[in-house]
Amino acid sequence: MRSRVILGVALLALAGPLILAPSLAAGPGDPIVAARQASMKEMAAAARAIAEMFDGKRAYEPAAFKAAADTLSARAGALTGEFPQGSLGAPSAARPEIDQARPEFEALARHIGRLADALAIKAENAPPGLTADMRMTGPPMDGGSLLGKRPGAAEADPARMPAEHLLHLILQDCTSCHSKFRRRAE
Ligand code: HEC
């Protein structure tokens, strides 16, 4: 029950910018900016597809699940290279702060990359139907933001988390990075 609520909130957070923000890439934009915005949109579509399968809003299909997980993994893995110096600030929504906080930005990118890789490995052997062990049983725990650090939980191994749990942690990383490094649409 609780997990459905959290997922709903995470999806709202995803949907907001998609619906409200006019595309900044419209017009003769910087190709680096346009490419990373397209990459972000692909990640959003992939995350949404997986979330909807877990939510029962879209039919679960192992091949579609795998394709979406592969997209997340590939796009998340490319993140660090997509924000070079000189491509930050308006008209892009990437904050210039990325440059002043590279280690933090890259740590977030590595974190989401690690989670997305773990999800893609799981999706490799996706069963024909959603199974109970793919679902999470409680709120997402990464020793992280929702519950505060639990002793011993900090080094949670993504490979041992249910797929749905990984998805939640991935969505948390989207939100964490956006709240620090992405300019809000006015
Ligand atoms: C490490 C930081 C970081 C992570 C992680 C991240 N994003 Fe982003 N995202 C950004 C930044 C910065 C921008 C603004 C890019 C620009 O306008 O140049 C952005 C922009 C976007 C956009 C708007 C693209 C457009 O057309 O303007 C969407 C949608 C988006 N992200 C979705 C996601 C989703 C979904 C995830 C997680 C699966 C995610 N992002 C993870 C930093 C991140």
Side-chain angles (χ1 to χ4, degrees):
M1 210 47 224
R2 175 86 193 270
S3 77
R4 294 286 93 72
V5 174
I6 296 170
L7 188 54
V9 171
L11 283 178
L12 261 184
L14 271 182
L18 275 177
I19 294 164
L20 298 177
S23 172
L24 294 161
D30 179 336
I32 293 175
V33 173
R36 75 179 170 226
Q37 289 176 341
S39 173
M40 288 284 172
K41 284 204 191 75
E42 274 184 55
M43 279 209 291
R48 177 177 304 241
I50 297 173
E52 288 183 353
M53 286 181 214
F54 277 111
D55 251 6
K57 292 197 186 111
R58 172 187 306 224
Y60 166 80
E61 278 178 33
F65 175 51
K66 180 177 170 346
D70 283 348
T71 298
L72 272 180
S73 159
R75 298 327 318 164
L79 258 177
T80 40
E82 290 182 323
F83 294 86
Q85 240 180 355
S87 74
L88 310 173
S92 146
R95 289 182 184 270
E97 282 81 351
I98 291 171
D99 223 18
Q100 283 116 53
R102 284 276 169 201
E104 191 188 348
F105 184 82
E106 285 172 7
L108 263 164
R110 270 198 308 277
H111 192 258
I112 195 173
R114 211 163 60 92
L115 295 169
D117 288 351
L119 184 64
I121 289 168
K122 280 181 191 292
E124 197 81 33
N125 300 310
L130 274 177
T131 55
D133 67 349
M134 293 167 80
R135 299 221 172 250
M136 57 189 238
T137 49
M141 282 184 283
D142 192 24
S145 47
L146 279 184
L147 295 181
K149 275 211 188 301
R150 286 190 319 154
E155 296 304 321
D157 178 4
R160 292 169 52 191
M161 293 175 187
E164 189 183 16
H165 193 154
L166 287 169
L167 177 69
H168 282 261
L169 297 178
I170 287 169
L171 292 173
Q172 282 179 12
D173 278 350
C174 311
T175 308
S176 304
C177 190
H178 291 165
S179 67
K180 277 188 190 150
F181 294 116
R182 180 187 181 191
R183 196 164 39 84
R184 294 185 77 85
E186 277 121 48

